[in-house]
Amino acid sequence: MTQHDKTPEAKAPQGRKITMKNAFGFGLGDFYGGGFGQTATYLPVFWVTFAGLAVDQATSIMGIATILSAFAALVVGTLSDNFYRYRIGRRFGRRRFFLMAGIPLLLVTAIVWIPGLPVWLYFIGYALWIIANQLIMTPYSALPTEMTTDFDGRTKLSTVRMFVSGVTSSGISLLMAAALAGMGEDHAYAYQISMVGLIGLFCIALFICYKSTWEFTPEQAGFDVEKIEAEAGQPFDFGKWLKNVADIFVGYFSTLRIKSFRKHVLIYLLGQTFMDVFGQTWLFFVIYDWNKTAAFASLLLSFALIAEPFKPVFGWLFARLGPRNMFSLNFAGGIIGLVGLFGLWQAQRTMPQNVWTVLAFVVSVWWFIFRAMVWFIPWNVFPFIPDVDEIVTGKNRSGVFVGFQLFLRKLTSGLATTFIGLYLATTGFVKPAKDASGAMQYPSQPISAQNGIAFVCIGWVIIGLIIAWIIALTFKLDKRTDGILLKEIDRLRNGGLKKDVDPETKKVVEQLTGIRYEQCWPQTTE
């Protein structure tokens, strides 16, 4: 039997198997991760409506803070990979420590929901909110690679994670629909009470995640503790420190050598960034184009919960169809849903209201099912990317990959958010204002502003998905090819010679890495 006749099964570290209890505890980390993005959906409307900010001010604060905080992902990724060099890391973990460290920072960021503060304070509060996200989610996203090497085990972790994330997003939308309808969307406290309560729940979920997960020991991660302790007693060497800093940046950009990662990160960035664009303009689209309330927009968002029972089906399809076919299914369905949302806007004046409302729910549910896939698929792909890198470097650098991926994610998201506000400001957008009685009023927007909102919320997203689809058609990493990689890594780690490689294995390695096989795996002699 050759190497490619049967996909090998990798064993979990230390013989530990991924149970549903483990998977759910791990997935609670994305109760915060999914909730983070959903709460940001309401922030621009809150600032424009209650804090007196113009739409370009609100989005520029979010965009610039996101761009600046993107560099935190680089720092955290490297720090997480090397945290076993410090005693605190060896005591609390190089990944899981940061889950706990982010909790107090989250509590401070509640200031962004206080009206009447200076613009600079909103900027600082939101920057801390984004930095806390990097501090928590960068190490968190590296955990599946260390908890197990089994394809199905990793898929279980990612599937439950995406399920929790999706339920959280829908649950927050339902909560906000109820809060806005019950307390009145013209009152700031309807937003404040809900959001501060959610921050408290995020902290509890992160603590449970910390207690439910595990990671490599220092020895499994390749750290020589005795050597580290010996080096700690030596005098500080500035030249060596400077070299280490340079090596950090070289390490991050070296991830782009890996062909599969380049394609994966482009697909990921296009999908995630344009989901941010949709999320940050959805309320504006519903309020000013569909002429509905923010509560109605939240109610529609809550129907994304219907997508959650499909998550196990997504996981089953992912394991059998592979990433490439799943991406095609995702992007085709998503584009159809967006076209439907645009069509509802155009048909609003010519269609009976009851029919229009039913179609609004149907089309929204369709879109939200496929929107869920945009998050689901890349994070199911990611745990296998470090395997591709390991066949090249001989190291597990999952933290570097997560850090660089999230750095790029925040960078593109920040740029997109900034451009949203700048673009909408040129369309003649009129911000809400209080009437003589003090009640907040949402003004009718000029046609140019309505068209601009629709172009951003629908048009930009469709364009992004089309580009991502084209790239995904060339993606080669799947269960079979990852299995071949893992078997070859085991063979080389156990002293196998590169000259004895199976031809099919060599072909797969070169397809996935984009590097000649002879240049892979550090091996001095044969």
Side-chain angles (χ1 to χ4, degrees):
M1 180 179 291
T2 63
Q3 283 181 289
H4 59 282
D5 288 329
K6 181 180 179 181
T7 302
E9 295 183 358
K11 296 185 182 298
Q14 301 178 337
R16 300 181 70 176
K17 183 179 179 181
I18 302 298
T19 65
M20 283 305 299
K21 181 180 178 181
N22 299 139
F24 182 73
F26 167 77
L28 278 179
D30 229 339
F31 175 77
Y32 161 69
F36 166 84
Q38 197 66 9
T39 53
T41 298
Y42 296 91
L43 198 51
V45 171
F46 178 83
W47 279 347
V48 170
T49 305
F50 299 105
L53 275 62
V55 65
D56 54 336
Q57 280 183 307
T59 56
S60 293
I61 286 173
M62 297 177 74
I64 295 171
T66 302
I67 292 170
L68 293 177
S69 69
F71 293 93
L74 298 183
V75 175
V76 175
T78 297
L79 183 61
S80 173
D81 272 354
N82 293 280
F83 208 49
Y84 278 146
R85 295 185 179 278
Y86 310 99
R87 290 182 180 178
I88 191 172
R90 295 194 292 274
R91 181 175 179 182
F92 296 104
R94 65 171 179 168
R95 312 290 189 199
R96 295 159 62 245
F97 168 82
F98 294 95
L99 302 182
M100 297 299 292
I103 289 176
L105 196 56
L106 278 182
L107 296 174
V108 173
T109 61
I111 63 171
V112 300
W113 298 101
I114 300 175
L117 298 179
V119 173
W120 64 267
L121 197 52
Y122 286 126
F123 175 82
I124 291 174
Y126 191 76
L128 290 175
W129 177 241
I130 294 287
I131 290 170
N133 181 254
Q134 304 285 44
L135 187 70
I136 295 165
M137 298 308 293
T138 301
Y140 171 75
S141 298
L143 281 174
T145 301
E146 300 194 16
M147 290 179 70
T148 182
T149 57
D150 177 62
F151 189 98
D152 292 332
R154 288 176 176 177
T155 299
K156 182 187 292 185
L157 288 169
S158 298
T159 298
V160 173
R161 172 188 180 180
M162 292 295 101
F163 176 80
V164 171
S165 178
V167 169
T168 302
S169 298
S170 301
I172 289 176
S173 300
L174 190 59
L175 169 69
M176 291 305 298
L180 294 172
M183 291 184 276
E185 57 189 75
D186 55 345
H187 297 296
Y189 60 75
Y191 291 87
Q192 292 173 296
I193 293 172
S194 304
M195 293 303 171
V196 173
L198 283 169
I199 290 173
L201 292 176
F202 292 158
C203 295
I204 294 171
L206 289 171
F207 178 76
I208 296 172
C209 179
Y210 174 85
K211 298 294 289 185
S212 303
T213 52
W214 62 86
E215 55 191 294
F216 283 158
T217 64
E219 292 73 22
Q220 288 173 323
F223 287 85
D224 186 334
V225 176
E226 291 185 2
K227 183 179 179 182
I228 291 171
E229 292 284 0
E231 290 177 349
Q234 296 178 1
F236 176 72
D237 187 332
F238 179 75
K240 184 177 180 180
W241 176 85
L242 198 62
K243 181 180 181 301
N244 289 338
V245 172
D247 288 343
I248 288 172
F249 286 95
V250 170
Y252 276 119
F253 285 97
S254 72
T255 61
L256 296 176
R257 294 177 60 205
I258 306 301
K259 183 178 181 180
S260 292
F261 180 66
R262 292 197 301 269
K263 293 184 177 182
H264 162 76
V265 82
L266 282 172
I267 298 167
Y268 170 80
L269 291 175
L270 286 163
Q272 303 297 299
T273 301
F274 285 102
M275 290 308 100
D276 289 343
V277 169
F278 178 85
Q280 289 164 14
T281 53
W282 169 248
L283 264 67
F284 290 103
F285 179 71
V286 173
I287 292 170
Y288 298 113
D289 286 18
W290 281 5
N291 296 313
K292 303 297 181 183
T293 64
F296 181 76
S298 292
L299 182 61
L300 287 179
L301 281 175
S302 72
F303 273 75
L305 184 64
I306 294 175
E308 299 317 306
F310 289 92
K311 292 291 178 68
V313 178
F314 294 167
W316 181 81
L317 288 173
F318 179 83
R320 283 150 184 80
L321 298 181
R324 184 168 63 248
N325 292 329
M326 282 293 288
F327 278 129
S328 293
L329 176 65
N330 179 197
F331 298 141
I335 290 169
I336 291 171
L338 289 167
V339 170
L341 294 175
F342 179 83
L344 285 168
W345 176 42
Q346 297 298 302
Q348 192 172 22
R349 291 183 178 85
T350 61
M351 186 180 294
Q353 189 59 38
N354 58 340
V355 175
W356 185 93
T357 301
V358 170
L359 287 176
F361 282 105
V362 171
V363 174
S364 295
V365 167
W366 173 279
W367 158 242
F368 291 138
I369 288 173
F370 287 96
R371 188 182 71 150
M373 282 193 195
V374 175
W375 284 295
F376 180 90
I377 302 173
W379 283 115
N380 271 271
V381 170
F382 178 79
F384 309 102
I385 295 294
D387 295 340
V388 185
D389 177 66
E390 189 170 357
I391 195 72
V392 176
T393 64
K395 301 176 182 178
N396 184 294
R397 302 193 301 161
S398 55
V400 169
F401 278 85
V402 174
F404 193 59
Q405 178 169 300
L406 292 183
F407 163 75
L408 294 174
R409 159 99 167 88
K410 295 302 180 185
L411 194 65
T412 57
S413 178
L415 290 171
T417 302
T418 303
F419 286 134
I420 288 171
L422 295 176
Y423 174 75
L424 292 181
T426 67
T427 66
F429 181 87
V430 182
K431 70 178 183 179
K434 293 182 179 179
D435 61 16
S437 66
M440 192 62 63
Q441 299 295 317
Y442 296 93
S444 297
Q445 298 293 337
I447 295 298
S448 58
Q450 293 180 32
N451 289 338
I453 291 169
F455 180 53
V456 174
C457 187
I458 306 298
W460 286 18
V461 181
I462 288 177
I463 292 170
L465 294 184
I466 289 174
I467 297 172
W469 192 356
I470 293 171
I471 298 169
L473 291 173
T474 66
F475 196 70
K476 302 291 186 182
L477 181 60
D478 55 26
K479 183 175 182 177
R480 185 188 73 86
T481 55
D482 183 67
I484 291 172
L485 276 185
L486 289 173
K487 189 170 182 179
E488 181 64 4
I489 290 170
D490 286 341
R491 188 183 73 85
L492 295 171
R493 184 181 289 121
N494 292 324
L497 300 178
K498 288 196 286 186
K499 66 182 182 180
D500 297 331
V501 63
D502 179 270
E504 175 67 10
T505 298
K506 179 180 179 181
K507 178 182 176 181
V508 168
V509 169
E510 292 181 343
Q511 280 183 335
L512 297 182
T513 64
I515 299 170
R516 293 179 62 243
Y517 179 85
E518 289 74 16
Q519 297 175 334
C520 294
W521 192 261
Q523 192 165 354
T524 55
T525 59
E526 297 217 343

